[in-house]
Structure formats: structure tokens, C-alpha cells
């Protein structure tokens, strides 16, 4: 009977897997600190500011507005607009990932333990906290800040995200071990003690959850792919700014690689 518990845990974790789509879809790394507030963009390192783009797309370096040609301004406009437009996309993908994780966890454990079980409640509480953290972290009106030399997703979710989630999962399962064993025993009784029939019931249970989650997960995956391409385009626009504006020649802060399929 105990051998079936890892299967149940794996099922619950698989239900939460869509949460990873937003950060696994792209490697987004910064070689500078980034902040965005009220459409004002600032890149800086630990010692000084590298450059700003104001809310009306003026390029500011060393506290001075850079005089730009029309083509240079068009490139800066496109770069700044891309950054501002990507923020709500990142927010939507990240929060939807958490919502899917919450739904998957509840489908898995409520199906085994019934409504109001401790595992579902604890995981839902923790994931809801993460969702609220994401909403606050990605609010461009109150201000967004992401540190340098970090993966952006890790900075947004917090370095301890995976450990935090695993600890909550382990604690909730430990507290509910008796209920889980009873649920497994009940499922075996329904199968008449036939292990093959029991495994089939568990597979059917997993497939039912998977089919319920599949449509939302596919929609999220598509949104994540579109976001990845938008971020890659922003990185390319930064390269264009470096080529077009001498003052930015040696300032390369964005490094974005898509890897769901091949690197973009």
C-alpha cells in the first residue's frame, strides 16, 4: 500500500507543473538592475545608473537627455514600448500558472481525501500567497524592481520558491498520512484487493485530472511562447540601440534565450 503514496504525490506535483511554464519557457538574465515605475525605465548597476528612458521615451544618460535622430528615437521607442507591454504579459502568465497549480492540487487531493482536507488547504494557502506576491512584484504603477545577475523568474518568485513549495507539500502530506493511507485502502477495497485493478483506477484518476487541466495548460503554454518571442524581440531591439547609439555601445543588459524548442 505504501508504494502507491509516491504515485499520489507525483500526481499532485504534476498537477502543479504548469506553474513552471512561465519561467521554463525562456532564460531571461539581466546584467543590470532594472526598475519600472509609471512607465519610467531605469537600468543601473551597483555603483551608478547606466541609463533611463522616461515616460515620454527620452533617453537619459548621466542625467542628460541624449539628442537622437528620428531613426534612433524610433528604436528607443520600440524598445521601451516592448518592455512596458511585456510586463502585463509576464504578470498574466505567472498568475495563471499559479491558478492552474491551485486547481490541479485541489483536483488531486480533493479527489482522494474529500473537500476541506489539510493537504489541499495548506497548499492552496501557500500558492495563494505566492500569487499575491507575484501580483505585487509585477505592478508597474507601484514599481517593479529586478536585481542584476539573476534569472528574472527566480528573482520574481524568490530564490527559495521550490524549497518553500516542497516543504509545504511534505508537511501537509505528513500531517495527512493517516488520511492518505485510508484513501489508498479505500481505493484498494473498491478494486477488490486486485493490485492490477487498483493501478488501473489510479491511472484513470490521473488521466481524469490531466484531461481537465490540459486545455488551460495548453492556453498558458501558448501565452508563454508568445511572451518568450516578445522578450527575444526586446533583446534584439537592445542590440539595435547599441548599434545605433554610440553612448549605449558597451551597455548590454538583456540576455534572453528561448528553449522550449530550439534557442531563438
Amino acid at each position: 500500500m505504501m508504494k502507491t503514496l509516491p504515485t499520489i504525490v507525483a500526481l499532485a506535483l504534476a498537477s502543479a507543473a504548469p506553474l513552471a511554464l512561465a519561467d521554463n519557457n525562456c532564460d531571461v538574465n539581466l546584467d543590470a538592475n532594472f526598475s519600472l515605475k509609471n512607465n519610467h525605465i531605469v537600468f543601473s548597476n551597483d555603483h551608478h545608473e547606466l541609463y533611463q528612458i522616461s515616460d515620454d521615451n527620452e533617453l537619459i544618460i548621466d542625467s542628460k537627455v541624449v539628442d537622437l535622430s528620428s531613426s534612433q528615437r524610433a528604436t528607443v521607442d520600440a524598445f521601451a514600448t516592448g518592455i512596458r507591454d511585456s510586463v502585463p504579459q509576464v504578470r498574466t502568465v505567472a498568475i495563471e500558472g499559479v491558478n492552474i497549480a491551485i486547481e490541479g492540487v485541489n483536483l488531486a487531493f480533493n479527489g482522494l481525501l474529500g473537500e476541506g482536507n489539510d493537504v489541499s488547504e495548506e497548499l492552496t494557502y501557500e500558492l495563494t500567497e505566492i500569487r499575491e506576491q507575484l501580483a505585487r512584484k509585477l505592478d508597474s504603477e507601484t514599481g517593479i524592481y529586478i536585481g542584476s545577475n539573476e534569472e528574472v523568474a527566480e528573482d520574481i518568485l524568490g530564490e527559495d520558491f521550490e524549497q518553500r513549495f516542497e516543504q509545504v507539500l511534505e508537511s501537509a502530506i505528513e500531517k495527512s498520512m493517516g488520511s492518505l493511507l485510508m484513501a489508498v485502502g479505500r481505493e484498494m477495497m473498491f478494486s477488490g484487493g486486485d493490485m492490477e485493478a487498483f493501478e488501473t483506477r489510479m491511472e484513470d484518476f490521473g488521466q481524469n485530472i490531466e484531461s481537465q487541466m490540459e486545455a488551460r495548460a495548453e492556453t498558458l503554454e501558448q501565452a508563454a511562447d508568445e511572451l518568450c518571442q516578445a522578450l527575444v524581440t526586446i533583446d534584439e531591439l537592445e542590440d539595435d540601440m547599441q548599434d545605433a547609439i554610440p553612448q549605449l555601445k558597451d551597455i548590454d543588459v538583456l540576455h534572453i534565450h528561448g528553449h522550449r524548442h530550439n534557442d531563438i
Side-chain angles (χ1 to χ4, degrees), residues 13-211:
L13 287 172
S15 300
L19 181 60
L21 279 173
D23 53 90
N24 283 343
N25 194 51
C26 276
D27 283 330
V28 182
N29 292 279
L30 285 170
D31 281 345
N33 305 314
F34 165 78
S35 67
L36 171 66
K37 184 174 182 179
N38 296 325
N39 288 329
H40 194 97
I41 298 165
V42 179
F43 288 103
S44 63
N45 59 28
D46 293 337
H47 305 291
H48 68 280
E49 182 182 287
L50 299 174
Y51 67 91
Q52 304 178 39
I53 301 177
S54 67
D55 57 355
D56 58 354
N57 291 347
E58 296 282 6
L59 177 64
I60 302 169
I61 299 176
D62 294 331
S63 302
K64 298 177 181 178
V65 175
V66 178
D67 188 23
L68 300 175
S69 68
S70 58
S71 62
Q72 289 171 327
R73 178 172 290 280
T75 303
V76 172
D77 287 352
F79 175 74
T81 299
I83 289 176
R84 295 179 191 121
D85 288 348
S86 70
V87 170
Q89 287 181 272
V90 172
R91 197 174 193 267
T92 297
V93 167
I95 289 175
E96 178 62 4
V98 179
N99 287 337
I100 292 176
I102 291 171
E103 184 176 343
V105 162
N106 278 285
L107 279 171
F109 285 110
N110 287 349
L112 285 168
L113 302 177
E115 298 284 339
N117 66 84
D118 290 343
V119 180
S120 290
E121 288 189 354
E122 288 196 38
L123 289 174
T124 297
Y125 174 81
E126 186 67 21
L127 288 167
T128 300
E129 287 287 301
I130 290 169
R131 183 177 61 195
E132 292 175 359
Q133 171 190 324
L134 286 169
R136 290 191 300 269
K137 187 94 175 180
L138 295 170
D139 186 343
S140 58
E141 290 188 4
T142 58
I144 296 168
Y145 176 85
I146 299 173
S148 64
N149 299 317
E150 298 180 22
E151 279 203 23
V152 171
E154 190 174 87
D155 187 81
I156 291 171
L157 289 170
E159 290 183 13
D160 63 343
F161 166 71
E162 288 187 17
Q163 181 181 1
R164 177 176 157 194
F165 183 79
E166 287 172 5
Q167 286 176 345
V168 173
L169 179 64
E170 288 171 7
S171 173
I173 289 174
E174 185 177 338
K175 291 177 185 176
S176 301
M177 186 61 74
S179 298
L180 283 167
L181 288 169
M182 289 176 63
V184 171
R186 187 167 57 248
E187 291 298 322
M188 288 196 69
M189 286 180 60
F190 287 143
S191 303
D194 184 335
M195 283 303 298
E196 187 174 337
F198 173 67
E199 291 294 337
T200 299
R201 284 180 65 85
M202 288 293 95
E203 287 177 11
D204 290 344
F205 178 62
Q207 287 172 1
N208 180 49
I209 292 175
E210 184 178 352
S211 65

